[in-house]
Amino acid sequence: MRNVLVTGGCGFIGANFIRLLLASAKDWQVINLDKLTYAGNPENLDDVADDSRYTFVHGDICDRELVESLFIGQAIDTVVHFAAESHVDRSIEGPDAFMRTNIHGTFTLLEVAKNSWSVVGKRKNPYRFLHVSTDEVFGSLGPTGYFTEETAYDPRSPYSASKAASDHLARAYFHTYGLPLLITHCSNNYGPYQFPEKLIPLMINNCLQGKPLPVYGDGANVRDWLYVEDHCEAIVRVLDQGRPGESYAIGGHNEKKNTEIVELLCDMIDRKVGPLPSGNPRRSLITYVRDRPGHDRRYAIDAGKIERELGWTPRFTFAEGIERTVDWYLAHGDWLQGVLNGTYQQYYQKMYSDRQGAAETP
Ligand code: NAD
Ligand code: DAU
């Protein structure tokens, strides 16, 4: 029996993770602490809201009193820390919230965990603090090579710099106080419930609405795509079997150029719902726009350590994962409309009218 504090559980990966935990045979109590920013949606967990093993707490990870009261009141022995400002473009436009939540919020959780668990001098205890990091802390790869757990840090956006800072804090709490810390670095996730500001759901939504598909720069940037369910299974594996003080790189072995993804989505959606009302295929919507400042060229993960040491491998090929994802968005038009509220529309208009100016062609 574990009492797990999941932070950011109303976001994309957190909601998928909580659903997976509750569906598994584990008798774990899940306490979900989420501030409900624009990216957090309690409806993402409507189907488990009445489960007696699940409690939702609306609050901020920077609120130390609240975090302390949860640790004591709920006898928290495990933390899975997802809560973050997660979108690179937003970090370029307005980095403040990233520094507050990603750095100070992580510090608050570490400090409360350290004090509540009184771990100084003890290395063998059942506590676990899993800090969910990203491969972006390692910077940008050239055409060859992979990120591993040993890759030197080289963050290049305000988002990735804030995540790197939180990783360093987390490691310091392991080395200095013996906090039983685990870190995961995963590549780009995709799947159900992802907010439509990220590449794949944004393109699906624009395809369905017949809006331009804004590809940054020359469209040849590469990401290593990981189906969210595979990522969540990897996190459970790290919680169960990972060694405190270690980090684990998690990737899907699915390197794709952005243009490949966008073209694939256009063709798949044409096939599933028919072409645009004009009769044109959706590829006609592809529009090359001004590049993201500091745009990392390529990410790719060597997941050899978690495969060898913990026996995890991804179950979904990209073809399977993307088909499931598109089908999920097609079947959940109400969810999509719900999150595309006024605030999102304003963000979208500003972001993309700014980019239209100096479009590049591949
Ligand atoms: P998301 O943006 O979809 O969700 C973030 C959640 O955190 C939201 O529910 C939001 O309300 C909550 N939150 C934000 N600030 C908070 C605060 N101060 N207190 C409490 N809750 C707060 O993010 P995601 O894509 O699910 O990412 C989850 C984690 O995984 C993040 O730490 C991110 O850096 C990391 N990650 C994501 C990806 C990816 O591809 N999405 C890849 C690698 C790592
Ligand atoms: O690698 C892990 C990271 O993946 C996570 O840490 C981040 O939280 C997550 O947001 C994601 O970051 P990216 O910047 O890689 O994801 P995004 O979906 O924003 O962009 C993916 C690629 O697509 C990137 O090369 C930029 C490009 N892009 C994105 C958008 C939104 C476009 O060309 N057009 C777009 O409209």
Side-chain angles (χ1 to χ4, degrees), residues 59-79:
D60 190 332
I61 56 167
C62 300
D63 180 344
R64 184 154 171 168
E65 259 178 53
L66 171 64
V67 175
E68 279 170 350
S69 74
L70 287 178
F71 267 76
I72 295 163
Q74 305 282 348
I76 298 298
D77 53 35
T78 305
V79 175

Side-chain angles (χ1 to χ4, degrees), residues 7 81-88 98-99 101-103 106 131-138 153 155 157-171 183-185:
T7 69
H81 175 33
F82 293 103
E85 290 292 337
S86 69
H87 194 43
V88 174
F98 289 73
M99 304 308 138
T101 288
N102 299 3
I103 304 177
T106 303
H131 173 62
V132 179
S133 182
T134 167
D135 60 357
E136 292 199 17
V137 297
F138 301 128
Y153 275 59
S157 72
Y159 161 71
S160 54
S162 69
K163 292 294 288 187
S166 66
D167 292 6
H168 294 322
L169 276 171
R171 275 213 186 84
I183 297 186
T184 54
H185 298 280

Side-chain angles (χ1 to χ4, degrees), residues 268-279:
M268 188 179 281
I269 293 172
D270 280 348
R271 210 170 53 243
K272 286 181 187 281
V273 306
L276 293 166
S278 61

Side-chain angles (χ1 to χ4, degrees), residues 67-126:
V67 175
E68 279 170 350
S69 74
L70 287 178
F71 267 76
I72 295 163
Q74 305 282 348
I76 298 298
D77 53 35
T78 305
V79 175
V80 184
H81 175 33
F82 293 103
E85 290 292 337
S86 69
H87 194 43
V88 174
D89 290 324
R90 288 186 191 249
S91 82
I92 297 167
E93 297 298 313
D96 292 54
F98 289 73
M99 304 308 138
R100 183 180 178 281
T101 288
N102 299 3
I103 304 177
H104 195 73
T106 303
F107 162 71
T108 305
L109 291 166
L110 291 165
E111 185 63 8
V112 174
K114 182 254 289 178
N115 292 339
S116 308
W117 294 348
S118 306
V119 290
V120 177
K122 293 184 199 163
R123 285 297 169 96
K124 287 190 180 163
N125 59 57

